[in-house]
Amino acid sequence: MDFNQYKEKEQKRLEIAIRHLENGVDFVDINTAYIDEGVTIGRGTLIGPCVTIEGDTAIGENCRILQNSRIKDSKIEDDVEIQTSVVVESQVGAKTKVGPFAYLRPKSVIGKECKVGDFVEVKNSSFGDGSKASHLTYIGDSDVGRDVNIGCGVVFVNYDGSQKHRSTVGDGAFIGCNTNLVSPVKVEDGAYIAAGSTVTKDVPEDALCVARAKQKNIEGWAAKRGLYNKK
């Protein structure tokens, strides 16, 4: 690409952004917005700096697409906030918050009033209305119901080395921190998973699942091996 071609491309990019501005879209810095020709954006939506919106993407009204986010071939409903995150071939329901640093991979369907927080990755999964995964979680090949709370460090273990498997989490379930759900498993409505569990069998409705080794303390172990010197 020579300089004249670059100037033409930049002029086209700015023309697209100005067209959205005239239709009621706000920009923090219109000079750093990268929006493809076919993208639609609703009135009252704010586009932050260094945002890229590509392909067949539709963004609703009164959204906040904040700095350094990328959205491709996705549908974003009204009143959604996306901060410093990547959304590819996915859907995000109204009043949901995504990020910072979240990654919605293809075939992810996020419901309304959800939270997909920092360092959460979702792939080929559905996530029901009102459900929350606030941080450091992988949700792959799974169907999560409504009003589910997924704690920090939860992993949906969807790959056995040769095949992918799918898990289901029912409405109102609570998945404690550092839980491994080894697919395929089903956690039924209202069930609780204790923190630190590795779940390999289905969990019935309204049950508490505890799947971890019993703690054992060996007194003086570190000092005997010269690893601890008490001062």
Side-chain angles (χ1 to χ4, degrees):
M1 181 185 299
D2 62 25
F3 182 68
N4 288 332
Q5 290 173 318
Y6 173 78
K7 285 181 66 177
E8 290 177 4
K9 184 177 179 180
E10 281 295 288
Q11 181 62 33
K12 180 65 174 178
R13 180 189 63 79
L14 189 57
E15 288 173 359
I16 293 170
I18 291 172
R19 190 159 65 243
H20 286 291
L21 182 68
E22 292 172 343
N23 289 331
V25 177
D26 294 326
F27 292 86
V28 173
D29 183 359
I30 200 169
N31 293 303
T32 61
Y34 300 86
I35 303 172
D36 281 357
E37 179 71 43
V39 170
T40 62
I41 306 175
R43 297 183 64 85
T45 288
L46 173 69
I47 304 299
C50 300
V51 166
T52 301
I53 307 174
E54 304 171 70
D56 183 19
T57 293
I59 297 175
E61 297 182 350
N62 301 313
C63 294
R64 289 167 57 83
I65 312 301
L66 301 178
Q67 63 273 10
N68 300 314
S69 293
R70 177 186 177 227
I71 303 172
K72 180 180 180 182
D73 296 330
S74 297
K75 180 180 179 181
I76 313 298
E77 295 185 4
D78 297 343
D79 301 299
V80 168
E81 179 177 295
I82 298 175
Q83 181 178 355
T84 317
S85 296
V86 176
V87 179
V88 179
E89 298 175 23
S90 295
Q91 299 178 36
V92 180
K95 298 183 179 179
T96 285
K97 293 186 177 181
V98 177
F101 311 115
Y103 184 14
L104 302 186
R105 292 168 59 187
K107 299 182 181 180
S108 295
V109 180
I110 310 300
K112 299 177 181 179
E113 298 185 26
C114 293
K115 170 67 174 176
V116 180
D118 49 291
F119 304 104
V120 173
E121 181 178 351
V122 184
K123 172 252 183 184
N124 188 27
S125 296
S126 62
F127 204 62
D129 295 348
S131 291
K132 296 176 174 61
S134 294
H135 36 212
L136 298 166
T137 288
Y138 173 65
I139 302 168
D141 299 304
S142 298
D143 297 295
V144 177
R146 300 186 305 273
D147 299 315
V148 173
N149 187 90
I150 297 180
C152 177
V154 171
V155 176
F156 286 68
V157 186
N158 59 327
Y159 185 51
D160 65 6
S162 62
Q163 296 182 38
K164 299 289 179 68
H165 301 279
R166 198 166 190 90
S167 283
T168 301
V169 177
D171 297 343
F174 182 98
I175 313 299
C177 294
N178 292 319
T179 290
N180 296 307
L181 296 175
V182 183
S183 300
V185 294
K186 182 176 182 180
V187 179
E188 295 188 3
D189 294 353
Y192 272 61
I193 310 297
S197 293
T198 295
V199 181
T200 59
K201 299 178 181 179
D202 293 351
V203 181
E205 180 179 353
D206 191 35
L208 170 65
C209 171
V210 183
R212 58 194 183 200
K214 184 177 180 180
Q215 180 172 324
K216 179 180 180 181
N217 297 329
I218 302 174
E219 299 289 340
W221 184 92
K224 286 179 182 179
R225 287 157 180 77
L227 301 174
Y228 172 65
N229 293 317
K230 187 174 181 179
K231 296 181 180 179

